[in-house]
Amino acid sequence: MIRHAACITIVLLVLVTLPVAQGSPDISGFWELSFDSRRMPSANLAPAVTPAVLAKQAEKDAHAIRWCNFLGLPAAMDSPRPINIRQGRREIVVNFETVAVPRHLYFRAAHPNMDIFDPTTNGDSIARWEGDTLVVDTIGFDGDKGVTMIPGGGYRTSDSHLTERYRLLNDGNVLSVTFTWEDADVFRTPHTYEFRYLRAPRLYEAQPPLACNPFDDARTTFLSQPGSSRE
Amino acid sequence: MKYVRVLALSLTLATALAAQQVAAPIPDLEGGWVRIDIDGSGSFNGLAAKFARAVLTPAAQAASAEQAKRAAQPRFDFARDQSKPKAAGEGYVVTDGNCTLPGGVEPNSAAFHVVQGKEQVLIVRENPGMPRTIYMDGRAHPALSRITPTAVGHSTGRYEAGALVVETVGLTQGNVTAGGWRTPETKLTERYRVSADGQRLTITYTWDDPKVYVKPHSYQIVAERTPPGSWAFESWCDSSDPGQRLSIVPPQQK
């Protein structure tokens, strides 16, 4: 009898809590990279990407760093501070504590018409769940803005296509993100690398972003020395 | 008998849990919003013209007046001879050229976007500045001695009678809409309420601080939901561009 009542209790509790418990994983949290978080194989670059082309691109990136331009992708996802990922019903917002604007990952089936979309440093991102993996598809980049160098080699252009796969590991304490860049002008084959973010302590408090003052002369002198920027 | 008692207990528990969910409905605030000019003032300066003016304590009046005096000093165009007008199309230097902005608690001319997570509500503007992180996990504000005041402060929230209620402290000292004033100790309470059709968001701001206000200072801002399929614009600013500092409209001087 008691067992019967206990079963009814469990069924009732499950029914009551069902709307909260059901659905896709929730990747919300503050996530940070550690010294052993990056797996970046060398990119297989297209023949057109010569050392001279890479040097010119590095020069553009150095300018963006010097003038505190918004980083954009992929640099923003390599932030030295925890990134704040918040998952809602219709979108996920990713916020950075560095010089970058937030990302919006929309749960939508299609990108907007690129003829009327102004290219940006973060591009336009649409997301969907494939089982327990969040797949994010991004196009609409501006190849002339922000820091463009891609971990492992190559750089972002206006034609780049990025696919990210987010998956929780280790009981939700690690967030694996694989980044795959496709761009026929830059890569011979799609270039994939993985970052594993560690969940920050539960009571972590968001901090003001890292300061960047383009008119700080000491900083400018530091950055003008060989090897000080991403070359 | 035991069976009946356990069953009754389980029914009571289930009913209580269900009632809790009904009693605290979560309004759907998620998405993009744009502030609207409900009074038809036609200008940014006129948006708050009909708000009730704040009634400040003498000490807050003095602090506010001091701030107004500092703000009246020409800050960026100081090298120019103020007696000579600019030629047509010649820019006025109106910013220091730095692209980082502090952000703020109220919406400005840019759209703002709300995402509602289980532990946080995040509000981000389309222009630069700190986002608003609203902790919904029951944590308390840290002691003010342990935090650096910012333009968005430290916010905690809860759902109450169909509204999101946000309490904020730890804001930087400065002006508040409609003649108000704030210090890091001043408490701001906001109530976010969505209209029945989900298309309008009314935010009621109430500033409370006995050292600053004779009575709590309150006003409302209304925003309209952006159309379905809209996306957030990404602002761009380049400090290396000298034009970034300029405006062809003369800066307002008091």
Side-chain angles (χ1 to χ4, degrees), chain A residues 161-218:
Chain A
H161 175 203
L162 170 64
T163 307
E164 293 158 283
R165 300 178 72 85
Y166 293 72
R167 199 160 47 94
L168 291 169
L169 306 175
N170 294 11
D171 293 329
N173 291 309
V174 173
L175 178 65
S176 159
V177 185
T178 61
F179 303 82
T180 300
W181 289 87
E182 291 171 272
D183 189 334
D185 293 334
V186 179
F187 302 107
R188 236 190 261 263
T189 53
H191 172 51
T192 299
Y193 57 94
E194 180 183 4
F195 285 176
R196 290 194 173 188
Y197 298 86
L198 309 181
R199 191 184 282 281
R202 197 176 69 80
L203 291 180
Y204 179 81
E205 298 273 354
Q207 300 297 310
L210 292 163
C212 187
N213 181 0
F215 306 110
D216 176 344
D217 292 337

Side-chain angles (χ1 to χ4, degrees), chain B residues 3 107-108 119 194 197:
Chain B
Y3 173 81
N108 56 10
E119 295 172 345
V194 186
D197 65 0

Side-chain angles (χ1 to χ4, degrees), chain B residues 141-250:
Chain B
H141 296 300
L144 289 175
S145 59
R146 295 181 59 114
I147 57 173
T148 305
T150 66
V152 294
H154 186 276
S155 301
T156 58
R158 64 185 185 277
Y159 293 109
E160 197 178 278
L164 169 68
V165 181
V166 181
E167 284 190 2
T168 303
V169 295
L171 292 157
T172 42
Q173 178 172 290
N175 292 321
V176 164
T177 296
W181 183 251
R182 73 187 192 200
T183 73
E185 290 80 27
T186 305
K187 187 176 85 172
L188 167 64
T189 305
E190 294 157 275
R191 303 183 82 87
Y192 290 73
R193 192 174 289 282
V194 186
S195 62
D197 65 0
Q199 297 306 304
R200 281 207 173 188
L201 175 65
T202 301
I203 314 170
T204 305
Y205 296 81
T206 303
W207 298 86
D208 198 359
D209 183 344
K211 289 184 187 161
V212 171
Y213 295 101
V214 173
K215 59 175 187 176
H217 173 44
S218 194
Y219 51 90
Q220 287 187 334
I221 285 175
V222 179
E224 205 166 53
R225 195 183 277 282
T226 56
S230 302
W231 60 88
F233 289 168
E234 184 180 300
S235 60
W236 178 251
C237 170
D238 185 357
S239 299
S240 71
D241 176 4
Q244 185 68 47
R245 295 176 169 206
L246 305 178
S247 168
I248 55 166
V249 179

Side-chain angles (χ1 to χ4, degrees), chain B residues 98-133:
Chain B
N98 196 325
C99 289
T100 52
L101 293 173
V105 288
E106 285 176 21
N108 56 10
S109 57
F112 61 100
H113 300 260
V114 181
V115 68
Q116 291 169 278
K118 285 178 193 159
E119 295 172 345
Q120 255 185 43
V121 171
L122 202 57
I123 303 178
V124 294
R125 289 179 179 178
E126 286 183 356
N127 51 9
M130 280 183 76
R132 297 202 57 197
T133 305

